mmCIF file of all heavy atoms in Angstrom:
data_model
loop_
_atom_site.group_PDB
_atom_site.id
_atom_site.type_symbol
_atom_site.label_atom_id
_atom_site.label_comp_id
_atom_site.label_asym_id
_atom_site.label_seq_id
_atom_site.Cartn_x
_atom_site.Cartn_y
_atom_site.Cartn_z
ATOM 1 N N LYS A 1 16.522 -0.217 -6.734
ATOM 2 C CA LYS A 1 16.287 -1.487 -6.035
ATOM 3 C C LYS A 1 15.005 -1.456 -5.242
ATOM 4 O O LYS A 1 14.270 -2.453 -5.194
ATOM 5 C CB LYS A 1 17.469 -1.803 -5.119
ATOM 6 C CG LYS A 1 17.386 -3.181 -4.493
ATOM 7 C CD LYS A 1 18.616 -3.490 -3.653
ATOM 8 C CE LYS A 1 18.511 -4.889 -3.034
ATOM 9 N NZ LYS A 1 19.714 -5.231 -2.230
ATOM 10 N N GLN A 2 14.697 -0.322 -4.592
ATOM 11 C CA GLN A 2 13.499 -0.233 -3.756
ATOM 12 C C GLN A 2 12.223 -0.409 -4.576
ATOM 13 O O GLN A 2 11.246 -0.981 -4.127
ATOM 14 C CB GLN A 2 13.471 1.103 -3.017
ATOM 15 C CG GLN A 2 13.349 2.331 -3.916
ATOM 16 C CD GLN A 2 13.422 3.604 -3.114
ATOM 17 O OE1 GLN A 2 14.155 3.707 -2.118
ATOM 18 N NE2 GLN A 2 12.671 4.615 -3.526
ATOM 19 N N HIS A 3 12.244 0.062 -5.843
ATOM 20 C CA HIS A 3 11.089 -0.099 -6.722
ATOM 21 C C HIS A 3 10.962 -1.575 -7.139
ATOM 22 O O HIS A 3 9.841 -2.086 -7.270
ATOM 23 C CB HIS A 3 11.210 0.788 -7.944
ATOM 24 C CG HIS A 3 11.133 2.239 -7.631
ATOM 25 N ND1 HIS A 3 11.545 3.236 -8.501
ATOM 26 C CD2 HIS A 3 10.673 2.901 -6.522
ATOM 27 C CE1 HIS A 3 11.354 4.413 -7.949
ATOM 28 N NE2 HIS A 3 10.833 4.222 -6.743
ATOM 29 N N PHE A 4 12.117 -2.208 -7.370
ATOM 30 C CA PHE A 4 12.108 -3.637 -7.704
ATOM 31 C C PHE A 4 11.540 -4.477 -6.569
ATOM 32 O O PHE A 4 10.717 -5.378 -6.776
ATOM 33 C CB PHE A 4 13.520 -4.103 -8.049
ATOM 34 C CG PHE A 4 13.659 -5.600 -8.069
ATOM 35 C CD1 PHE A 4 13.050 -6.376 -9.051
ATOM 36 C CD2 PHE A 4 14.411 -6.257 -7.110
ATOM 37 C CE1 PHE A 4 13.170 -7.743 -9.075
ATOM 38 C CE2 PHE A 4 14.549 -7.620 -7.102
ATOM 39 C CZ PHE A 4 13.925 -8.391 -8.099
ATOM 40 N N VAL A 5 12.001 -4.203 -5.340
ATOM 41 C CA VAL A 5 11.532 -4.935 -4.142
ATOM 42 C C VAL A 5 10.035 -4.800 -3.966
ATOM 43 O O VAL A 5 9.308 -5.769 -3.689
ATOM 44 C CB VAL A 5 12.282 -4.444 -2.881
ATOM 45 C CG1 VAL A 5 11.656 -5.048 -1.614
ATOM 46 C CG2 VAL A 5 13.753 -4.813 -2.948
ATOM 47 N N LYS A 6 9.536 -3.573 -4.159
ATOM 48 C CA LYS A 6 8.113 -3.291 -4.047
ATOM 49 C C LYS A 6 7.331 -4.082 -5.115
ATOM 50 O O LYS A 6 6.280 -4.695 -4.816
ATOM 51 C CB LYS A 6 7.871 -1.809 -4.225
ATOM 52 C CG LYS A 6 6.417 -1.393 -4.160
ATOM 53 C CD LYS A 6 6.266 0.095 -4.381
ATOM 54 C CE LYS A 6 4.824 0.494 -4.490
ATOM 55 N NZ LYS A 6 4.665 1.968 -4.772
ATOM 56 N N HIS A 7 7.837 -4.114 -6.315
ATOM 57 C CA HIS A 7 7.196 -4.872 -7.393
ATOM 58 C C HIS A 7 7.196 -6.357 -7.113
ATOM 59 O O HIS A 7 6.213 -7.055 -7.366
ATOM 60 C CB HIS A 7 7.916 -4.575 -8.707
ATOM 61 C CG HIS A 7 7.581 -5.539 -9.815
ATOM 62 N ND1 HIS A 7 6.416 -5.440 -10.563
ATOM 63 C CD2 HIS A 7 8.237 -6.642 -10.281
ATOM 64 C CE1 HIS A 7 6.390 -6.420 -11.452
ATOM 65 N NE2 HIS A 7 7.446 -7.164 -11.298
ATOM 66 N N TRP A 8 8.296 -6.871 -6.601
ATOM 67 C CA TRP A 8 8.448 -8.312 -6.353
ATOM 68 C C TRP A 8 7.385 -8.839 -5.397
ATOM 69 O O TRP A 8 6.941 -9.999 -5.513
ATOM 70 C CB TRP A 8 9.840 -8.582 -5.785
ATOM 71 C CG TRP A 8 10.111 -10.043 -5.507
ATOM 72 C CD1 TRP A 8 10.264 -10.629 -4.302
ATOM 73 C CD2 TRP A 8 10.224 -11.086 -6.482
ATOM 74 N NE1 TRP A 8 10.481 -11.983 -4.430
ATOM 75 C CE2 TRP A 8 10.470 -12.300 -5.760
ATOM 76 C CE3 TRP A 8 10.131 -11.136 -7.868
ATOM 77 C CZ2 TRP A 8 10.627 -13.503 -6.402
ATOM 78 C CZ3 TRP A 8 10.306 -12.376 -8.494
ATOM 79 C CH2 TRP A 8 10.538 -13.517 -7.775
ATOM 80 N N ARG A 9 6.911 -7.983 -4.497
ATOM 81 C CA ARG A 9 5.894 -8.385 -3.538
ATOM 82 C C ARG A 9 4.580 -8.744 -4.217
ATOM 83 O O ARG A 9 3.770 -9.493 -3.693
ATOM 84 C CB ARG A 9 5.666 -7.273 -2.509
ATOM 85 C CG ARG A 9 6.805 -7.129 -1.515
ATOM 86 C CD ARG A 9 6.606 -5.920 -0.617
ATOM 87 N NE ARG A 9 7.704 -5.799 0.344
ATOM 88 C CZ ARG A 9 8.016 -4.674 0.967
ATOM 89 N NH1 ARG A 9 7.321 -3.568 0.724
ATOM 90 N NH2 ARG A 9 8.997 -4.641 1.821
ATOM 91 N N ILE A 10 4.359 -8.201 -5.425
ATOM 92 C CA ILE A 10 3.153 -8.528 -6.183
ATOM 93 C C ILE A 10 3.155 -10.024 -6.540
ATOM 94 O O ILE A 10 2.131 -10.699 -6.510
ATOM 95 C CB ILE A 10 3.068 -7.674 -7.467
ATOM 96 C CG1 ILE A 10 2.924 -6.207 -7.102
ATOM 97 C CG2 ILE A 10 1.882 -8.128 -8.360
ATOM 98 C CD1 ILE A 10 3.062 -5.261 -8.285
ATOM 99 N N HIS A 11 4.323 -10.520 -6.911
ATOM 100 C CA HIS A 11 4.461 -11.945 -7.291
ATOM 101 C C HIS A 11 4.446 -12.863 -6.071
ATOM 102 O O HIS A 11 3.930 -13.984 -6.122
ATOM 103 C CB HIS A 11 5.752 -12.169 -8.085
ATOM 104 C CG HIS A 11 5.791 -11.411 -9.377
ATOM 105 N ND1 HIS A 11 4.908 -11.621 -10.388
ATOM 106 C CD2 HIS A 11 6.636 -10.428 -9.814
ATOM 107 C CE1 HIS A 11 5.193 -10.816 -11.408
ATOM 108 N NE2 HIS A 11 6.228 -10.081 -11.084
ATOM 109 N N THR A 12 5.040 -12.412 -4.979
ATOM 110 C CA THR A 12 5.096 -13.253 -3.771
ATOM 111 C C THR A 12 3.850 -13.128 -2.908
ATOM 112 O O THR A 12 3.700 -13.848 -1.913
ATOM 113 C CB THR A 12 6.336 -12.869 -2.924
ATOM 114 O OG1 THR A 12 6.208 -11.479 -2.530
ATOM 115 C CG2 THR A 12 7.631 -13.050 -3.704
ATOM 116 N N GLU A 13 2.958 -12.186 -3.305
ATOM 117 C CA GLU A 13 1.728 -11.924 -2.562
ATOM 118 C C GLU A 13 2.014 -11.469 -1.144
ATOM 119 O O GLU A 13 1.268 -11.732 -0.196
ATOM 120 C CB GLU A 13 0.832 -13.155 -2.555
ATOM 121 C CG GLU A 13 0.332 -13.542 -3.926
ATOM 122 C CD GLU A 13 -0.639 -14.705 -3.896
ATOM 123 O OE1 GLU A 13 -0.896 -15.229 -2.803
ATOM 124 O OE2 GLU A 13 -1.149 -15.066 -4.965
ATOM 125 N N GLU A 14 3.153 -10.782 -0.978
ATOM 126 C CA GLU A 14 3.541 -10.251 0.298
ATOM 127 C C GLU A 14 2.869 -8.887 0.522
ATOM 128 O O GLU A 14 3.455 -7.828 0.382
ATOM 129 C CB GLU A 14 5.063 -10.102 0.391
ATOM 130 C CG GLU A 14 5.569 -9.741 1.766
ATOM 131 C CD GLU A 14 7.084 -9.542 1.785
ATOM 132 O OE1 GLU A 14 7.761 -9.989 0.854
ATOM 133 O OE2 GLU A 14 7.560 -8.931 2.739
ATOM 134 N N MET A 15 1.581 -8.928 0.781
ATOM 135 C CA MET A 15 0.772 -7.713 0.962
ATOM 136 C C MET A 15 0.506 -7.544 2.449
ATOM 137 O O MET A 15 -0.468 -8.106 2.986
ATOM 138 C CB MET A 15 -0.513 -7.807 0.148
ATOM 139 C CG MET A 15 -0.295 -8.208 -1.301
ATOM 140 S SD MET A 15 0.389 -6.907 -2.321
ATOM 141 C CE MET A 15 -1.100 -6.122 -2.881
ATOM 142 N N LEU A 16 1.335 -6.825 3.135
ATOM 143 C CA LEU A 16 1.341 -6.820 4.601
ATOM 144 C C LEU A 16 0.378 -5.821 5.234
ATOM 145 O O LEU A 16 0.035 -5.945 6.397
ATOM 146 C CB LEU A 16 2.771 -6.520 5.096
ATOM 147 C CG LEU A 16 3.873 -7.456 4.542
ATOM 148 C CD1 LEU A 16 5.223 -6.989 5.077
ATOM 149 C CD2 LEU A 16 3.614 -8.890 4.976
ATOM 150 N N PHE A 17 -0.030 -4.800 4.470
ATOM 151 C CA PHE A 17 -0.809 -3.727 5.078
ATOM 152 C C PHE A 17 -2.250 -3.761 4.562
ATOM 153 O O PHE A 17 -2.502 -3.536 3.392
ATOM 154 C CB PHE A 17 -0.141 -2.377 4.792
ATOM 155 C CG PHE A 17 1.257 -2.291 5.350
ATOM 156 C CD1 PHE A 17 2.351 -2.669 4.579
ATOM 157 C CD2 PHE A 17 1.476 -1.874 6.633
ATOM 158 C CE1 PHE A 17 3.644 -2.603 5.084
ATOM 159 C CE2 PHE A 17 2.749 -1.803 7.164
ATOM 160 C CZ PHE A 17 3.842 -2.174 6.392
ATOM 161 N N LYS A 18 -3.176 -4.033 5.487
ATOM 162 C CA LYS A 18 -4.560 -4.279 5.105
ATOM 163 C C LYS A 18 -5.479 -3.142 5.578
ATOM 164 O O LYS A 18 -5.388 -2.687 6.701
ATOM 165 C CB LYS A 18 -5.036 -5.585 5.711
ATOM 166 C CG LYS A 18 -6.416 -6.044 5.269
ATOM 167 C CD LYS A 18 -6.711 -7.419 5.852
ATOM 168 C CE LYS A 18 -8.061 -7.937 5.406
ATOM 169 N NZ LYS A 18 -8.357 -9.279 5.958
ATOM 170 N N CYS A 19 -6.351 -2.677 4.686
ATOM 171 C CA CYS A 19 -7.308 -1.628 5.036
ATOM 172 C C CYS A 19 -8.430 -2.229 5.873
ATOM 173 O O CYS A 19 -9.053 -3.242 5.496
ATOM 174 C CB CYS A 19 -7.893 -1.030 3.751
ATOM 175 S SG CYS A 19 -9.208 0.177 4.052
ATOM 176 N N SER A 20 -8.719 -1.603 6.999
ATOM 177 C CA SER A 20 -9.756 -2.106 7.923
ATOM 178 C C SER A 20 -11.163 -1.870 7.384
ATOM 179 O O SER A 20 -12.121 -2.507 7.842
ATOM 180 C CB SER A 20 -9.603 -1.436 9.275
ATOM 181 O OG SER A 20 -9.712 -0.009 9.140
ATOM 182 N N GLU A 21 -11.298 -0.988 6.389
ATOM 183 C CA GLU A 21 -12.597 -0.659 5.850
ATOM 184 C C GLU A 21 -13.037 -1.597 4.715
ATOM 185 O O GLU A 21 -14.170 -2.070 4.685
ATOM 186 C CB GLU A 21 -12.606 0.790 5.322
ATOM 187 C CG GLU A 21 -12.479 1.848 6.418
ATOM 188 C CD GLU A 21 -13.683 1.893 7.332
ATOM 189 O OE1 GLU A 21 -14.829 1.712 6.831
ATOM 190 O OE2 GLU A 21 -13.508 2.094 8.537
ATOM 191 N N CYS A 22 -12.111 -1.850 3.782
ATOM 192 C CA CYS A 22 -12.483 -2.650 2.606
ATOM 193 C C CYS A 22 -11.651 -3.926 2.424
ATOM 194 O O CYS A 22 -11.835 -4.641 1.454
ATOM 195 C CB CYS A 22 -12.383 -1.797 1.337
ATOM 196 S SG CYS A 22 -10.693 -1.287 0.937
ATOM 197 N N SER A 23 -10.714 -4.172 3.356
ATOM 198 C CA SER A 23 -9.868 -5.373 3.336
ATOM 199 C C SER A 23 -8.872 -5.422 2.187
ATOM 200 O O SER A 23 -8.249 -6.438 1.933
ATOM 201 C CB SER A 23 -10.720 -6.640 3.329
ATOM 202 O OG SER A 23 -11.513 -6.707 4.479
ATOM 203 N N LYS A 24 -8.727 -4.332 1.421
ATOM 204 C CA LYS A 24 -7.740 -4.269 0.354
ATOM 205 C C LYS A 24 -6.346 -4.233 0.987
ATOM 206 O O LYS A 24 -6.155 -3.591 2.032
ATOM 207 C CB LYS A 24 -7.967 -3.036 -0.515
ATOM 208 C CG LYS A 24 -7.159 -3.046 -1.804
ATOM 209 C CD LYS A 24 -7.576 -1.902 -2.723
ATOM 210 C CE LYS A 24 -6.806 -1.971 -4.025
ATOM 211 N NZ LYS A 24 -7.212 -0.871 -4.951
ATOM 212 N N CYS A 25 -5.390 -4.916 0.368
ATOM 213 C CA CYS A 25 -4.054 -5.022 0.954
ATOM 214 C C CYS A 25 -3.012 -4.273 0.116
ATOM 215 O O CYS A 25 -3.155 -4.136 -1.102
ATOM 216 C CB CYS A 25 -3.641 -6.485 1.068
ATOM 217 S SG CYS A 25 -4.672 -7.395 2.231
ATOM 218 N N PHE A 26 -1.938 -3.832 0.766
ATOM 219 C CA PHE A 26 -0.900 -3.052 0.120
ATOM 220 C C PHE A 26 0.482 -3.565 0.548
ATOM 221 O O PHE A 26 0.639 -4.162 1.600
ATOM 222 C CB PHE A 26 -1.045 -1.572 0.461
ATOM 223 C CG PHE A 26 -2.362 -1.007 0.019
ATOM 224 C CD1 PHE A 26 -3.483 -1.068 0.868
ATOM 225 C CD2 PHE A 26 -2.523 -0.454 -1.234
ATOM 226 C CE1 PHE A 26 -4.708 -0.569 0.463
ATOM 227 C CE2 PHE A 26 -3.754 0.041 -1.632
ATOM 228 C CZ PHE A 26 -4.844 -0.010 -0.802
ATOM 229 N N THR A 27 1.489 -3.255 -0.316
ATOM 230 C CA THR A 27 2.851 -3.740 -0.042
ATOM 231 C C THR A 27 3.580 -2.889 0.983
ATOM 232 O O THR A 27 4.552 -3.333 1.575
ATOM 233 C CB THR A 27 3.662 -3.771 -1.342
ATOM 234 O OG1 THR A 27 3.644 -2.461 -1.931
ATOM 235 C CG2 THR A 27 3.086 -4.776 -2.317
ATOM 236 N N ASN A 28 3.131 -1.635 1.188
ATOM 237 C CA ASN A 28 3.779 -0.813 2.211
ATOM 238 C C ASN A 28 2.779 0.132 2.894
ATOM 239 O O ASN A 28 1.679 0.356 2.378
ATOM 240 C CB ASN A 28 4.943 0.008 1.598
ATOM 241 C CG ASN A 28 4.483 0.926 0.491
ATOM 242 O OD1 ASN A 28 3.703 1.814 0.705
ATOM 243 N ND2 ASN A 28 4.976 0.686 -0.730
ATOM 244 N N LYS A 29 3.183 0.651 4.019
ATOM 245 C CA LYS A 29 2.302 1.458 4.848
ATOM 246 C C LYS A 29 1.915 2.765 4.139
ATOM 247 O O LYS A 29 0.796 3.257 4.287
ATOM 248 C CB LYS A 29 2.978 1.775 6.177
ATOM 249 C CG LYS A 29 2.074 2.489 7.190
ATOM 250 C CD LYS A 29 2.769 2.700 8.507
ATOM 251 C CE LYS A 29 1.844 3.383 9.503
ATOM 252 N NZ LYS A 29 2.519 3.578 10.841
ATOM 253 N N HIS A 30 2.854 3.324 3.355
ATOM 254 C CA HIS A 30 2.598 4.577 2.659
ATOM 255 C C HIS A 30 1.410 4.447 1.696
ATOM 256 O O HIS A 30 0.568 5.336 1.622
ATOM 257 C CB HIS A 30 3.859 4.981 1.883
ATOM 258 C CG HIS A 30 3.738 6.278 1.147
ATOM 259 N ND1 HIS A 30 3.610 7.494 1.802
ATOM 260 C CD2 HIS A 30 3.689 6.544 -0.177
ATOM 261 C CE1 HIS A 30 3.491 8.456 0.915
ATOM 262 N NE2 HIS A 30 3.545 7.919 -0.291
ATOM 263 N N GLU A 31 1.344 3.332 0.975
ATOM 264 C CA GLU A 31 0.223 3.095 0.042
ATOM 265 C C GLU A 31 -1.082 2.964 0.776
ATOM 266 O O GLU A 31 -2.131 3.451 0.311
ATOM 267 C CB GLU A 31 0.508 1.836 -0.784
ATOM 268 C CG GLU A 31 1.574 2.047 -1.840
ATOM 269 C CD GLU A 31 1.757 0.799 -2.689
ATOM 270 O OE1 GLU A 31 1.276 -0.282 -2.267
ATOM 271 O OE2 GLU A 31 2.405 0.889 -3.730
ATOM 272 N N LEU A 32 -1.065 2.303 1.943
ATOM 273 C CA LEU A 32 -2.266 2.161 2.750
ATOM 274 C C LEU A 32 -2.757 3.542 3.237
ATOM 275 O O LEU A 32 -3.976 3.804 3.194
ATOM 276 C CB LEU A 32 -1.989 1.236 3.948
ATOM 277 C CG LEU A 32 -3.137 1.105 4.965
ATOM 278 C CD1 LEU A 32 -4.390 0.562 4.305
ATOM 279 C CD2 LEU A 32 -2.702 0.209 6.105
ATOM 280 N N VAL A 33 -1.823 4.366 3.687
ATOM 281 C CA VAL A 33 -2.191 5.714 4.170
ATOM 282 C C VAL A 33 -2.864 6.515 3.054
ATOM 283 O O VAL A 33 -3.895 7.166 3.261
ATOM 284 C CB VAL A 33 -0.936 6.447 4.696
ATOM 285 C CG1 VAL A 33 -1.266 7.928 4.963
ATOM 286 C CG2 VAL A 33 -0.453 5.793 5.988
ATOM 287 N N ASN A 34 -2.269 6.460 1.850
ATOM 288 C CA ASN A 34 -2.853 7.186 0.714
ATOM 289 C C ASN A 34 -4.236 6.656 0.356
ATOM 290 O O ASN A 34 -5.150 7.418 0.035
ATOM 291 C CB ASN A 34 -1.945 7.054 -0.510
ATOM 292 C CG ASN A 34 -0.703 7.924 -0.387
ATOM 293 O OD1 ASN A 34 -0.706 8.950 0.284
ATOM 294 N ND2 ASN A 34 0.361 7.496 -1.042
ATOM 295 N N HIS A 35 -4.388 5.331 0.443
ATOM 296 C CA HIS A 35 -5.677 4.678 0.174
ATOM 297 C C HIS A 35 -6.751 5.138 1.166
ATOM 298 O O HIS A 35 -7.884 5.449 0.782
ATOM 299 C CB HIS A 35 -5.506 3.154 0.248
ATOM 300 C CG HIS A 35 -6.815 2.392 0.273
ATOM 301 N ND1 HIS A 35 -7.596 2.238 -0.843
ATOM 302 C CD2 HIS A 35 -7.424 1.757 1.298
ATOM 303 C CE1 HIS A 35 -8.670 1.541 -0.519
ATOM 304 N NE2 HIS A 35 -8.589 1.235 0.771
ATOM 305 N N ARG A 36 -6.388 5.218 2.431
ATOM 306 C CA ARG A 36 -7.324 5.616 3.465
ATOM 307 C C ARG A 36 -7.748 7.090 3.272
ATOM 308 O O ARG A 36 -8.893 7.464 3.529
ATOM 309 C CB ARG A 36 -6.703 5.438 4.877
ATOM 310 C CG ARG A 36 -6.519 3.987 5.269
ATOM 311 C CD ARG A 36 -7.856 3.290 5.557
ATOM 312 N NE ARG A 36 -8.544 3.911 6.678
ATOM 313 C CZ ARG A 36 -9.792 4.384 6.622
ATOM 314 N NH1 ARG A 36 -10.485 4.309 5.503
ATOM 315 N NH2 ARG A 36 -10.359 4.900 7.677
ATOM 316 N N ARG A 37 -6.812 7.914 2.811
ATOM 317 C CA ARG A 37 -7.140 9.338 2.580
ATOM 318 C C ARG A 37 -8.176 9.504 1.477
ATOM 319 O O ARG A 37 -9.017 10.392 1.519
ATOM 320 C CB ARG A 37 -5.869 10.116 2.243
ATOM 321 C CG ARG A 37 -4.980 10.403 3.431
ATOM 322 C CD ARG A 37 -3.689 11.047 3.029
ATOM 323 N NE ARG A 37 -2.823 11.272 4.171
ATOM 324 C CZ ARG A 37 -1.509 11.446 4.094
ATOM 325 N NH1 ARG A 37 -0.904 11.410 2.919
ATOM 326 N NH2 ARG A 37 -0.800 11.645 5.181
ATOM 327 N N ILE A 38 -8.101 8.637 0.484
ATOM 328 C CA ILE A 38 -9.080 8.670 -0.611
ATOM 329 C C ILE A 38 -10.467 8.325 -0.074
ATOM 330 O O ILE A 38 -11.477 8.934 -0.429
ATOM 331 C CB ILE A 38 -8.662 7.694 -1.754
ATOM 332 C CG1 ILE A 38 -7.395 8.213 -2.432
ATOM 333 C CG2 ILE A 38 -9.785 7.558 -2.780
ATOM 334 C CD1 ILE A 38 -6.784 7.229 -3.385
ATOM 335 N N GLN A 39 -10.508 7.339 0.838
ATOM 336 C CA GLN A 39 -11.772 6.915 1.422
ATOM 337 C C GLN A 39 -12.384 7.993 2.329
ATOM 338 O O GLN A 39 -13.585 8.223 2.315
ATOM 339 C CB GLN A 39 -11.581 5.621 2.218
ATOM 340 C CG GLN A 39 -11.317 4.387 1.335
ATOM 341 C CD GLN A 39 -11.290 3.127 2.157
ATOM 342 O OE1 GLN A 39 -10.758 3.120 3.268
ATOM 343 N NE2 GLN A 39 -11.818 2.055 1.613
ATOM 344 N N THR A 40 -11.535 8.648 3.109
ATOM 345 C CA THR A 40 -12.010 9.616 4.076
ATOM 346 C C THR A 40 -12.159 11.025 3.478
ATOM 347 O O THR A 40 -12.827 11.887 4.042
ATOM 348 C CB THR A 40 -11.049 9.718 5.280
ATOM 349 O OG1 THR A 40 -9.758 10.130 4.817
ATOM 350 C CG2 THR A 40 -10.945 8.374 5.986
ATOM 351 N N GLY A 41 -11.514 11.241 2.337
ATOM 352 C CA GLY A 41 -11.545 12.563 1.709
ATOM 353 C C GLY A 41 -10.522 13.516 2.294
ATOM 354 O O GLY A 41 -10.508 14.714 1.980
ATOM 355 N N GLU A 42 -9.643 13.004 3.144
ATOM 356 C CA GLU A 42 -8.623 13.834 3.797
ATOM 357 C C GLU A 42 -7.608 14.321 2.748
ATOM 358 O O GLU A 42 -7.106 13.531 1.941
ATOM 359 C CB GLU A 42 -7.904 13.037 4.874
ATOM 360 C CG GLU A 42 -6.821 13.833 5.603
ATOM 361 C CD GLU A 42 -5.948 12.960 6.494
ATOM 362 O OE1 GLU A 42 -6.174 11.725 6.547
ATOM 363 O OE2 GLU A 42 -5.022 13.504 7.098
ATOM 364 N N LYS A 43 -7.305 15.617 2.794
ATOM 365 C CA LYS A 43 -6.318 16.211 1.876
ATOM 366 C C LYS A 43 -5.395 17.106 2.679
ATOM 367 O O LYS A 43 -5.613 18.319 2.776
ATOM 368 C CB LYS A 43 -7.022 17.009 0.761
ATOM 369 C CG LYS A 43 -7.830 16.123 -0.178
ATOM 370 C CD LYS A 43 -8.482 16.933 -1.286
ATOM 371 C CE LYS A 43 -9.259 16.054 -2.235
ATOM 372 N NZ LYS A 43 -9.888 16.826 -3.332
ATOM 373 N N PRO A 44 -4.362 16.527 3.301
ATOM 374 C CA PRO A 44 -3.542 17.284 4.268
ATOM 375 C C PRO A 44 -2.495 18.220 3.649
ATOM 376 O O PRO A 44 -1.884 18.996 4.348
ATOM 377 C CB PRO A 44 -2.848 16.176 5.037
ATOM 378 C CG PRO A 44 -2.755 15.044 4.102
ATOM 379 C CD PRO A 44 -3.981 15.125 3.238
ATOM 380 N N PHE A 45 -2.314 18.147 2.299
ATOM 381 C CA PHE A 45 -1.268 18.960 1.678
ATOM 382 C C PHE A 45 -1.887 20.139 0.920
ATOM 383 O O PHE A 45 -2.562 19.934 -0.087
ATOM 384 C CB PHE A 45 -0.430 18.098 0.760
ATOM 385 C CG PHE A 45 0.217 16.922 1.450
ATOM 386 C CD1 PHE A 45 -0.321 15.658 1.352
ATOM 387 C CD2 PHE A 45 1.322 17.108 2.288
ATOM 388 C CE1 PHE A 45 0.220 14.572 2.017
ATOM 389 C CE2 PHE A 45 1.892 16.036 2.953
ATOM 390 C CZ PHE A 45 1.335 14.775 2.825
#
């Protein structure tokens, strides 16, 4: 169900988490965090 809910946001345009650097939006905070790590080059694991 959680994967379905995440997908449904694509259709409803419910993109709540916005990157302050490039203004790209994401459906959840986890995706935004991963996106920011790609930009900064951070590799914490």
Side-chain angles (χ1 to χ4, degrees):
K1 187 176 180 179
Q2 64 184 35
H3 293 164
F4 165 68
V5 171
K6 179 182 174 182
H7 165 80
W8 180 248
R9 288 174 179 159
I10 296 171
H11 297 298
T12 60
E13 296 184 358
E14 189 183 342
M15 309 287 269
L16 306 177
F17 300 91
K18 187 175 181 179
C19 175
S20 58
E21 293 293 322
C22 66
S23 299
K24 191 172 183 179
C25 295
F26 300 89
T27 56
N28 59 63
K29 187 177 181 179
H30 181 68
E31 286 183 345
L32 174 59
V33 170
N34 286 333
H35 167 75
R36 290 290 297 124
R37 283 175 182 159
I38 292 170
Q39 289 186 321
T40 60
E42 180 191 0
K43 294 181 178 181
F45 303 101

